[in-house]
Amino acid sequence: MSLNVHGRFAPSPTGLLHVGSARTAMIAWLSARSAGGRFTLRIEDLDPPRMVPGLAKEIARDLAWLGIDFDASPAVGGPHAPYRQSERHAHYEAALKALHVAGRLFPCRVSRRDLRNLASAPHAADHGPPYPAHLRPAALDTDWFDTTKDAAIRFRVPDRTVTFEDRVRGPQSENTAAVVGDFVLRRRDGLFAYQLAVVVDDLQMGITEVVRGDDLLSSTARQILLIEALRGTPLRYAHVPLVLSASGEKLSKRDQAATLRALREAGVRPEVLIGYLAHSLGLIPVPEPHRLSDLVPIFGWSRLRGMAPWRLPVNLVHSLRYPLAAGCG
Ligand code: GLU
């Protein structure tokens, strides 16, 4: 048991919570609570045009319905309030300034399209081709940080390998300089990048462990480099497999039938969904109804190590109405 463990769930309010994100939230909560730790809800509404009004409240309601409680959140407050990224810009600005003072930043006016045209090899990653170090400006005005307008701000990535242990995926390593290169911390239009905001918030809020979907595994080395540059303590990471639709595609926020709201409206009880999800994780042998709190003594990361993506059944509601008959296949 460690009272120092502090986990978080950090949804972006761009769509309703679906069973995939609910499963991730449940694992994050179980990990913190089974260690006697704290748990925080942070709303990642950095990019205002993509946010749907009212959704953050609905997500909080869905999480409460599942039995996930928080020591700190936009609703209950907490020692590091505010817990909405849209209200935390001053913190991101201050961190950017600290990185500038440490000599880790430079302004950039190269567009994504220019970078793509520069790339010689095809690339499949979320971040496009690596930013070539030879494009870094050779010299900068001493006051560039305060005077430069209309430019993105990039972080100088050191040419070395970052390693970390993922609690689900095992040992990881990446030379971020070769894979991503110097990455953007503030976009040309002034918007702070996810990578910066998430690191600043995790550090300031005293988060010790990150549990999230494995679509963010490829962001982790970048975040570790930022944590180091901000002189923070490294966190523990767990990237859990996504939930796939019955046809094997990544479940998106558009899959309305798999949203918690749709399930609730179809009469599904939270204990039934919890039991079903717990069974999908191998935490219980049969998909019987459970309260989330019943799973705290059962939870352990060793059970989740190496787990595969999970495909939803064709008729989710039917499976949840008759979980024992349908199984979880
Ligand atoms: N806000 C991100 C998302 O909803 C998650 C960020 C994180 O957990 O680091 O995908």
Side-chain angles (χ1 to χ4, degrees):
M1 289 265 288
S2 164
L3 286 171
N4 295 326
V5 169
H6 190 172
R8 48 58 157 197
F9 184 58
S12 306
T14 53
L16 288 167
L17 209 64
H18 58 58
V19 276
S21 26
R23 193 170 85 140
T24 303
M26 171 175 144
I27 300 169
W29 184 90
L30 284 171
S31 175
R33 296 302 193 212
S34 65
R38 286 164 294 155
F39 200 58
T40 286
L41 174 66
R42 182 171 73 230
I43 297 296
E44 302 212 322
D45 53 355
L46 259 188
D47 190 355
R50 291 182 54 225
M51 302 304 147
V52 183
L55 216 56
K57 279 211 175 93
E58 184 136 5
I59 289 173
R61 254 200 314 272
D62 284 342
L63 293 167
W65 181 74
L66 282 174
I68 294 179
D69 64 340
F70 296 97
D71 301 293
S73 73
V76 302
H80 304 287
Y83 289 93
R84 290 171 169 277
Q85 290 190 328
S86 55
E87 296 166 17
R88 299 181 56 79
H89 287 192
H91 296 286
Y92 311 141
E93 193 65 56
L96 207 61
K97 181 94 190 172
L99 291 169
H100 162 61
V101 169
R104 299 299 298 269
L105 307 181
F106 64 91
C108 169
R109 293 199 174 85
V110 185
S111 68
R112 270 175 201 241
R113 189 192 294 159
D114 293 343
L115 283 177
R116 254 190 295 269
N117 292 341
L118 279 169
S120 50
H123 49 85
D126 61 274
H127 42 71
Y131 182 87
H134 67 82
L135 290 183
R136 288 174 180 167
L140 288 168
D141 293 338
T142 45
D143 62 350
W144 74 266
F145 187 79
D146 298 311
T147 57
T148 305
K149 299 267 180 289
D150 196 28
I153 294 184
R154 285 185 185 265
F155 175 71
R156 285 175 201 271
V157 169
D159 186 9
R160 65 174 170 82
T161 301
V162 175
T163 58
F164 63 99
E165 176 72 24
D166 190 273
R167 287 158 124 179
V168 177
R169 302 284 293 265
Q172 305 291 316
S173 67
E174 175 188 283
N175 182 342
T176 306
V179 181
V180 184
D182 301 331
F183 54 94
V184 171
L185 296 188
R186 197 172 69 195
R187 285 181 2 189
R188 204 167 174 157
D189 61 7
L191 211 66
F192 291 103
Y194 154 72
Q195 308 293 358
L196 178 71
V198 84
V199 161
V200 170
D201 290 346
D202 283 342
L203 290 179
Q204 288 189 354
M205 294 175 182
I207 302 298
T208 63
E209 59 175 34
V210 168
V211 178
R212 60 189 173 195
D214 66 6
D215 50 341
L216 288 169
L217 182 64
S218 63
S219 286
T220 306
R222 272 172 276 176
Q223 294 177 15
I224 290 172
L225 287 170
L226 279 177
I227 289 172
E228 289 171 358
L230 289 166
R231 302 182 181 286
T233 309
L235 315 182
R236 298 189 79 180
Y237 292 93
H239 289 88
V240 302
L242 300 177
V243 172
L244 305 177
S245 68
S247 53
E249 280 136 40
K250 185 180 157 183
L251 201 62
S252 84
K253 288 180 177 169
R254 285 183 293 278
D255 286 300
Q256 293 299 318
T259 62
L260 265 56
R261 184 204 279 172
L263 297 177
R264 203 167 46 228
E265 285 172 358
V268 171
R269 287 184 300 120
E271 305 82 48
V272 172
L273 180 60
I274 297 284
Y276 194 79
L277 294 177
H279 180 250
S280 83
L281 293 167
L283 295 177
I284 52 174
V286 281
E288 286 172 337
H290 275 73
R291 281 178 315 175
L292 192 55
S293 52
D294 297 338
L295 300 175
V296 170
I298 299 170
F299 182 81
W301 279 109
S302 56
R303 292 168 182 255
L304 273 53
R305 209 170 157 96
M307 69 176 169
W310 177 54
R311 204 187 262 227
L312 287 179
V314 175
N315 190 336
L316 179 63
V317 169
H318 181 84
S319 305
L320 288 168
R321 285 223 182 100
Y322 311 102
L324 292 176
C328 276

